[in-house]
């Protein structure tokens, strides 16, 4: 019996020693450049809105990771992410007469599972996926346009002072509207947005060794919100027609490129440095 226990203990100790020899801990700083897409059926189907691809810089982020083996690891990040999208407002002749600007700022906290290729090269591919908590730090939804004739989606509430109102068989309405100076429709200060959102994040890219204990990362990155970014009271008002826009779920889709500089502790990053 004692021999069996000794043998089992030896096997477990050997396995633990093998795993611990492969474990690598790393800390890093990151930055990213992203395109944000506000997915809102009400905005996308409204005839007077034209969405524009809007790019934002996520200036700084921090990364802490642990690679349990050469194939598998975990990372936790904290990223200041600027997001949002511009929607052009057009008249019936498709001339741009104003814009609606949705600006968002989050601290993103993704917890990612890392799958890596096992090669001995100093350049290794990886795929990352996991949940993300996005904490809202600032937000606004501002609209402004000049006096013009615009087409509104079926069910839309016309701006005050609209004239020359014509209803069309497809349910849309054409009206001459007065100019609108910059008006904040929603904001974080007014508690129009949720303070936190649950999202899914994913990335694939490369880790590139530059010294024995330092590497850079380059990734194509994306995250998608699973919940509406607006709070429940705002959603109820929209459903009851108390706003000028047709109600639709509003979610974030962010895609971009992220780069980082990472420092290793306890062991070298790449097996190519063994024996040097």
């Amino acid at each position: 019996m004692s021999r069996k226990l000794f043998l089992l203990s030896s096997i477990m100790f050997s396995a633990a020693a093998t795993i611990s020899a492969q474990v690598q801990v790393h800390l890093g700083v990151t930055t990213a450049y992203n395109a944000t897409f506000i997915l809102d059926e009400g905005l996308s189907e409204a005839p007077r809105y034209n969405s524009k691809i809007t790019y934002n810089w996520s200036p700084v982020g921090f990364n802490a990771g642990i690679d349990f083996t050469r194939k598998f690891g975990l990372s936790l990040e904290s990223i200041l992410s600027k997001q949002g999208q511009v929607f052009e407002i057009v008249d019936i002749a498709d001339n741009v007469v104003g814009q609606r600007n949705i600006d968002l700022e989050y601290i993103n906290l993704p917890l990612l599972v890392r799958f890596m290729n096992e090669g001995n090269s100093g350049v290794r591919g990886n795929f990352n996926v996991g949940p993300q908590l996005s904490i809202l730090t600032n937000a606004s939804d501002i609209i402004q346009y000049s006096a013009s004739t615009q087409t509104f989606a079926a069910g839309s509430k016309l701006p005050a002072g609209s004239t020359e109102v014509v209803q069309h068989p497809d349910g849309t309405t054409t009206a001459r509207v007065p100019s609108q100076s910059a008006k904040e429709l929603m904001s974080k200060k007014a508690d129009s947005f949720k303070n936190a959102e649950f999202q899914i994040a994913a990335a694939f890219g490369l880790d590139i060794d530059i010294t024995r204990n330092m590497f850079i990362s380059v990734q194509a990155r994306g995250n998608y919100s699973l919940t509406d970014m607006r709070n429940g009271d705002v959603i109820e008002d929209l459903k009851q027609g108390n706003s000028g826009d047709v109600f639709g779920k509003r979610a974030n889709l962010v895609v971009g490129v992220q780069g980082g500089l990472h420092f290793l502790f306890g062991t070298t990053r790449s097996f190519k440095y063994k024996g040097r």
Side-chain angles (χ1 to χ4, degrees), residues 3 17-18 27 33 38 42 54 78 101 118 130 138 188 190 192 196 226 241 247 264 274:
R3 285 186 178 182
T18 300
L27 300 176
Y33 194 62
I38 304 296
T54 309
S78 174
N101 194 350
E118 193 180 6
N138 199 12
K188 175 176 171 54
S192 306
L226 301 178
F247 172 73
L264 282 155
K274 281 192 171 182

Side-chain angles (χ1 to χ4, degrees), residues 81-148:
S81 180
K82 295 182 182 295
Q83 302 175 22
Q85 190 167 10
V86 173
F87 293 85
E88 293 179 338
I89 299 176
V90 298
D91 62 14
I92 58 174
D94 283 335
N95 297 314
V96 177
V97 296
Q99 70 176 26
R100 183 167 178 174
N101 194 350
I102 301 174
D103 277 325
L104 306 163
E105 184 179 274
Y106 292 93
I107 295 177
N108 290 335
L109 302 170
L111 176 62
L112 302 176
V113 180
R114 287 170 49 83
F115 302 96
M116 302 162 286
N117 68 329
E118 193 180 6
N120 295 328
S121 170
V123 179
R124 294 166 306 282
N126 60 75
F127 174 72
N128 309 262
V129 65
Q132 174 174 287
L133 177 64
S134 295
I135 301 173
L136 186 69
T137 58
N138 199 12
S140 64
D141 185 346
I142 298 174
I143 190 170
Q144 66 84 24
Y145 50 82
S146 59
S148 53

Side-chain angles (χ1 to χ4, degrees), residues 221-237:
R221 194 90 178 235
N223 55 267
Y224 173 70
S225 61
L226 301 178
T227 56
D228 196 305
M229 67 176 68
R230 298 162 297 190
N231 71 26
D233 292 339
V234 170
I235 291 174
E236 282 303 313
D237 283 344

Side-chain angles (χ1 to χ4, degrees), residues 173-251:
T173 301
T174 299
R176 179 75 181 177
V177 297
S179 63
Q180 173 64 65
S181 58
K183 177 183 179 182
E184 190 171 67
L185 301 176
M186 294 189 294
S187 70
K188 175 176 171 54
K189 292 179 181 178
D191 200 26
S192 306
F193 294 86
K194 289 180 178 176
N195 290 321
E197 292 181 55
F198 180 74
Q199 304 189 357
I200 295 294
F204 64 90
L206 298 173
D207 294 338
I208 305 169
D209 296 328
I210 53 177
T211 70
R212 290 177 62 89
N213 294 94
M214 189 182 301
F215 69 96
I216 59 175
S217 62
V218 180
Q219 293 181 337
R221 194 90 178 235
N223 55 267
Y224 173 70
S225 61
L226 301 178
T227 56
D228 196 305
M229 67 176 68
R230 298 162 297 190
N231 71 26
D233 292 339
V234 170
I235 291 174
E236 282 303 313
D237 283 344
L238 290 167
K239 285 181 177 179
Q240 294 172 14
N242 296 327
S243 174
D245 286 311
V246 178
F247 172 73
K249 178 185 174 183
R250 183 176 296 181

Side-chain angles (χ1 to χ4, degrees), residues 143-162:
I143 190 170
Q144 66 84 24
Y145 50 82
S146 59
S148 53
T149 302
Q150 301 175 20
T151 302
F152 295 82
S156 295
K157 182 180 178 181
L158 299 181
S162 298

Side-chain angles (χ1 to χ4, degrees), residues 259-276:
L261 177 64
H262 307 264
F263 303 88
L264 282 155
F265 298 90
T267 182
T268 58
R269 172 66 178 178
S270 172
F271 288 86
K272 76 175 186 173
Y273 291 111
K274 281 192 171 182
R276 293 190 182 182

